[in-house]
Amino acid sequence: MTECVFCRIASGDVPAKEVYRDDDAIAIEDLNPQAPVHLLVISVKHYPTIGEATGGDSSDAAISAALIRIASRLGEERGGRRGYRLVINTGIDGGQTVGHVHVHVLAGRTMGWPPG
Ligand code: AMP
Ligand code: ZN
């Protein structure tokens, strides 16, 4: 069995609060929310990072585009007029803690800049 928690959520082995699903991607509520709205858009297929998701063949590129499309749609829905932030942490310096590509959708408060 895979050790990857997001693969296990995508396959239904690990429960999550799912807000969206299609053949390529799911969106769930983050377990440790950093804003009133904090969703994760996760590819169903395992890619360790966004670089690997965009760097393969054209079907991989289509999936990374789908992740952004779904994340921005959820941001529009949940953030409304006030807006939202999409984040893709990548690698150690990027602060990535789960090695399966995902897009954070944050909304419901004013975000700071620069990020920590
Ligand atoms: P990152 O640090 O960018 O890799 O983001 C990983 C995110 O996954 C963090 O915000 C965690 O709170 C979240 N997370 C980890 N495990 C789970 C889980 N089982 N269900 C929902 N969110 C999770
Ligand atoms: Zn995975």
Side-chain angles (χ1 to χ4, degrees):
M1 185 194 293
T2 176
E3 292 294 306
C4 173
V5 66
F6 288 173
C7 281
R8 298 188 67 197
I9 288 173
S11 68
D13 289 341
V14 167
K17 287 188 185 160
E18 217 172 282
V19 299
Y20 176 83
R21 176 178 282 271
D22 65 23
D23 289 344
D24 296 326
I26 63 169
I28 64 169
E29 292 185 8
D30 197 291
L31 207 54
N32 182 23
Q34 301 301 312
V37 175
H38 190 171
L39 305 175
L40 301 172
V41 182
I42 300 169
S43 58
V44 168
K45 184 175 167 186
H46 182 91
Y47 299 94
T49 66
I50 189 67
E52 279 149 295
T54 54
D57 62 26
S58 56
S59 69
D60 297 331
I63 285 168
S64 49
L67 297 180
I68 301 295
R69 190 170 61 247
I70 293 160
S72 53
R73 198 169 68 222
L74 289 166
E76 300 285 337
E77 284 172 15
R78 308 286 174 114
R81 267 189 321 114
R82 296 278 305 177
Y84 56 93
R85 181 174 290 179
L86 305 185
V87 174
I88 306 176
N89 295 324
T90 305
I92 293 169
D93 278 359
Q96 184 176 7
T97 60
V98 176
H100 177 136
V101 68
H102 52 282
V103 183
H104 295 259
V105 182
L106 297 150
R109 66 169 171 83
T110 303
M111 306 293 153
W113 194 265

